[in-house]
Each structure stands twice: as structure tokens, then as C-alpha cells.
């Protein structure tokens, strides 16, 4: 059995070989099991499964040269799953995106060069339509392929269609990661702002006039260092109520990056800020009819913390839009492509 030499990587454990012909029983590398045992992370599981699928595809082929770049791409994906994770790699998404882009390169080449490509054409077309429009010229070129006449040009058409679909999918996931990083930075900014306000007001209780008509949040006769923290806490509680609504409205996603925890952090931190701002506005006399006692003041801070949902819901809609672009859209495009193909056959 011919094998591809494995290069040493200081961040990786020893890699299994990529076979060029069927392996004897019990010798085929179990990529998925190896990846799962190495360093658990949700995104590594499907990567290991895809490596195992590619290995099986290669093992089923008759002896001969492998498609150019496939063994190297599989090794890159494998090394990415075994690499040590740190804050920099989490922020840049280097391990995740390198693994999936390498897998997509290998998959496009393996499918395009497969001996049974005619039987795979419907599946290839369905995969292309997950990310390409039904009237994309690459999809139309796939429709024009005659399964009985598969040559070099037809295989190149398949490879280009898959490559284009994979590229759009990879770029959409990169967009989700970019939005996640911005949410993280904005959340940290709000957290720092709340901590600075709390620290300064604790040292100088009269810095922010949070007592309304002689009624202070902590119930003391005058401003205290705990007023700011109590108002912020109630605002955060109001923001947490909005987080529950966010969770109820969030649809399950197969995207590798998660945005919901960072959206929730922003809601809670922004709720704290708005609670402080709202109590300051009440201190001007604008809401003097509402704040008649201490419970009313505390409820006002709680309600204002929830009120941030009126603004952050636009952020939620934008996050859903970005994640939606990375989600498969095969149903709609398949229906349109089927209708378009029927029209062409009818001569319309």
C-alpha cells in the first residue's frame, strides 16, 4: 500500500498516512476517532468525520496516483484539529478556517476525479445550490453535463462549481467570526465602562446624583458608594430578561461560530448603562410623577435595563442575517433550479 509521508509539526501528534490504494483490514486510519481523542471541541468532530469520509473514498479507488493536493490538504486539516488552542487562534479562527478550507479543497478534487462521477452529479448539483444561485453560470454548466460523456472538461466544471460553493460558504463563516469579534470587543468596552463608573462612584458617592427627590437606591439618607452598584445590578437584571427573549427567538444553527452569548453580554452590560442614565434623567425632575418612593426608583432601573432591547433588537436582526448567509439554503434554490430546468427543457 502506497502512503504519503507525513511531515513533522511541533503542534501536532503523529499523523496517520493517507493511502493511495485500499488498505488491509484494520489498517485504515481512523481520523474521526483520533481527532475526538486528541482535544475535544465541537468543530473538530465534523472535521474528523469528513477526513474519515475522504480516506474511505481514497481507499476504494484502484491503485494509482492521488489527485494533486489532496493528501497535503488532509494533513493540513488534521494538523489544525491537533494544534493547541489559545486566545489568538480563537480570535482569528485560524484553526477552524484552515481545517475547513483544506477539507473543501480536498473534497472538491476527490469528487471531481471520482470514477463514479456520473452517479454523483445530482448530489454535486444539490451541494452547489446550497451556496450558489440557481441561475449561476456554474450551476447551468453542471446542468449541461451529459452523464454519459464525462471527460476532463466536465470534471473541471464539477471542481469549479464545488470550489465556488465552498468558497462562498467559507467566506460567510468568516463574516460570522468577524461579527463575533466585534461583539466581543464592544461587550468588553461596556464592561469596562460599567466598572469604571462603579469604581469612581464608590470612591466619590456624590459624583453621580442617583438620589431622586431625596430617595436613594440603597435607602440611605444620602448618596452612598453602593447606589451605583445596585442600579447597575438592577439594569443588568432587566437586560437578562431581554436575553431570555433572545434565546426564545434564536433558531438552531450549524455555523461553527456562536453569536448568542456575546449578544447576551451586550444586552446585560448595556442594560446596566441605561439604568444609570435613566435614574440620572429621573433626577432632573422629568419622571418625578413616576418615582414616588424607593421601590418605584428600583423598578425604574429594572425597566430601563430591559428597555435596551428596543435598540439591540436591530443588532439581533443583523446577527440573524449574517448567520443566515452561512446557513445552507438548498431548499429555495433547488426549487428555483428545478423550475428553471423544466422551463429550458420545454423550450420556454
Amino acid at each position: 500500500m502506497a502512503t504519503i509521508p507525513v511531515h513533522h509539526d511541533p503542534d501536532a501528534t503523529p499523523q496517520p498516512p493517507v493511502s493511495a490504494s485500499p488498505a488491509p483490514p484494520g489498517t485504515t486510519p481512523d481520523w474521526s476517532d483520533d481527532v475526538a481523542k486528541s482535544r475535544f471541541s465541537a468543530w473538530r468532530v465534523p472535521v474528523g468525520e469528513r477526513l474519515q469520509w475522504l480516506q474511505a473514498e481514497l481507499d476504494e479507488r484502484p491503485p494509482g496516483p492521488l489527485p494533486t493536493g489532496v493528501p497535503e490538504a488532509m494533513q493540513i486539516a488534521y494538523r489544525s484539529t491537533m494544534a493547541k488552542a489559545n486566545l489568538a487562534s480563537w480570535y482569528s479562527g485560524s484553526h477552524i478556517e484552515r481545517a475547513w478550507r483544506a477539507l473543501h479543497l480536498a473534497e472538491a478534487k476527490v469528487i471531481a476525479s471520482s470514477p463514479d462521477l456520473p452517479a454523483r452529479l445530482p448530489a454535486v448539483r444539490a451541494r452547489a445550490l446550497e451556496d450558489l444561485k440557481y441561475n449561476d453560470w456554474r450551476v447551468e454548466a453542471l446542468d449541461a453535463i451529459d452523464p454519459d460523456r464525462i471527460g476532463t472538461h466536465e470534471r473541471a466544471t464539477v471542481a469549479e462549481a464545488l470550489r465556488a460553493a465552498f468558497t462562498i460558504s467559507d467566506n460567510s463563516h468568516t463574516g460570522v467570526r468577524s461579527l463575533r469579534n466585534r461583539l466581543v470587543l464592544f461587550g468588553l468596552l461596556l464592561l469596562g465602562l460599567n466598572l469604571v463608573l462603579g469604581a469612581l462612584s464608590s470612591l466619590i458617592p456624590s459624583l453621580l446624583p442617583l438620589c431622586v427627590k431625596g430617595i436613594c437606591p440603597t435607602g440611605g439618607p444620602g448618596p452612598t458608594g453602593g447606589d451605583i452598584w445596585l442600579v447597575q445590578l438592577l439594569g443588568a437584571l432587566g437586560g437578562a430578561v431581554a436575553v431570555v427573549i433572545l434565546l426564545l427567538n434564536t433558531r438552531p444553527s450549524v455555523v461553527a461560530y456562536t453569536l448568542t452569548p456575546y449578544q447576551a453580554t451586550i444586552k446585560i452590560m448595556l442594560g446596566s448603562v441605561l439604568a444609570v442614565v435613566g435614574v440620572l434623567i429621573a433626577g432632573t425632575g422629568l419622571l418625578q410623577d413616576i418615582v414616588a418612593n424607593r421601590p418605584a426608583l428600583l423598578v425604574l432601573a429594572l425597566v430601563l435595563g430591559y428597555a435596551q432591547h428596543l435598540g439591540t433588537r436591530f443588532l439581533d436582526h443583523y446577527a440573524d442575517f449574517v448567520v443566515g448567509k452561512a446557513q445552507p439554503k438548498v431548499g429555495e434554490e433547488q426549487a428555483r433550479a428545478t423550475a428553471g430546468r423544466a422551463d429550458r427543457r420545454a423550450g420556454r
Side-chain angles (χ1 to χ4, degrees), residues 120-130 139 142-143 333-334 337-338 341 344:
R120 296 174 182 257
L121 287 177
V124 169
R125 181 170 173 271
R127 177 60 188 88
L129 284 171
E130 288 185 15
V139 176
L142 284 177
D143 292 339
E333 294 304 325
Q334 280 280 29
T338 301
R341 194 172 185 179
R344 287 194 295 272

Side-chain angles (χ1 to χ4, degrees), residues 90-92 176-186:
W90 174 86
Y91 187 81
S92 65
V176 177
R177 177 183 56 78
S178 177
L179 178 58
R180 182 206 65 182
N181 291 349
R182 282 179 283 170
L183 292 177
V184 170
L185 293 177
F186 186 57

Side-chain angles (χ1 to χ4, degrees), residues 174-243:
T174 300
V176 177
R177 177 183 56 78
S178 177
L179 178 58
R180 182 206 65 182
N181 291 349
R182 282 179 283 170
L183 292 177
V184 170
L185 293 177
F186 186 57
L188 291 175
L189 177 63
L190 288 176
L191 175 61
L193 178 61
N194 277 295
L195 291 177
V196 170
L197 282 176
L200 290 177
S201 296
S202 295
L203 295 175
I204 311 174
S206 60
L207 180 64
L208 292 178
L210 298 179
C211 297
V212 180
K213 298 192 300 183
I215 303 172
C216 296
T218 55
T224 64
D227 290 341
I228 183 69
W229 297 114
L230 180 58
V231 171
Q232 287 182 333
L233 179 61
L234 290 172
L237 181 59
V241 176
V243 170

Side-chain angles (χ1 to χ4, degrees), residues 87-110:
L87 182 60
S89 63
W90 174 86
Y91 187 81
S92 65
S94 57
H95 296 331
I96 297 177
E97 297 189 20
R98 183 173 62 171
W100 279 108
R101 289 177 186 269
L103 277 177
H104 287 159
L105 169 64
E107 185 173 346
K109 287 183 171 290
V110 167

